[in-house]
Amino acid sequence: MANVDLAQLLERVRKNLRPTLISQKGGVSLERLNKDYSELMGEGIPFSQLQFQSMELFLRSIPDVCSVEWRGGELVVAGVADESTQHIVKMVRLQRTKTT
């Protein structure tokens, strides 16, 4: 894939990942993120097309879009808001957390 194509793909994925993530209070598992992304975009996160060996390595390479951490033995990914998505983060924070 040409560098221009890679840059365009990376920008598209970054643009689509942020709203997918910030709508989830507290973050989501890596598996759930890929499932949600696939449902919204019609394909999984194309980390291998972007020349990364794993989805985790790809996500860690874009810290301005998401944070990745181990929590309770599970890899959890949370969105990082920018100016255009800050209002969504505020609304999500105000949502009640479901209790079981």
Side-chain angles (χ1 to χ4, degrees), residues 40-65:
L40 291 169
M41 302 301 138
E43 64 179 1
I45 298 170
F47 64 89
S48 59
Q49 286 179 283
L50 293 165
Q51 301 176 348
F52 286 87
Q53 291 182 357
S54 70
M55 190 180 328
E56 179 183 355
L57 288 174
F58 167 63
L59 295 172
R60 288 188 186 280
S61 78
I62 52 173
D64 59 316
V65 174

Side-chain angles (χ1 to χ4, degrees), residues 20-97:
T20 303
L21 284 166
I22 63 171
S23 65
Q24 300 293 324
K25 191 174 186 177
V28 294
S29 70
L30 201 58
E31 183 178 308
R32 172 73 189 268
L33 171 60
N34 200 40
K35 182 177 182 269
D36 290 350
Y37 186 93
S38 181
E39 286 174 1
L40 291 169
M41 302 301 138
E43 64 179 1
I45 298 170
F47 64 89
S48 59
Q49 286 179 283
L50 293 165
Q51 301 176 348
F52 286 87
Q53 291 182 357
S54 70
M55 190 180 328
E56 179 183 355
L57 288 174
F58 167 63
L59 295 172
R60 288 188 186 280
S61 78
I62 52 173
D64 59 316
V65 174
C66 62
S67 65
V68 182
E69 65 182 52
W70 284 96
R71 211 183 295 158
E74 181 175 54
L75 203 58
V76 176
V77 185
V80 174
D82 64 4
E83 288 181 16
S84 68
T85 56
Q86 191 62 42
H87 66 287
I88 298 170
V89 172
K90 288 178 184 175
M91 290 188 313
V92 170
R93 268 194 214 129
L94 294 173
Q95 289 177 344
R96 292 180 183 226
T97 305

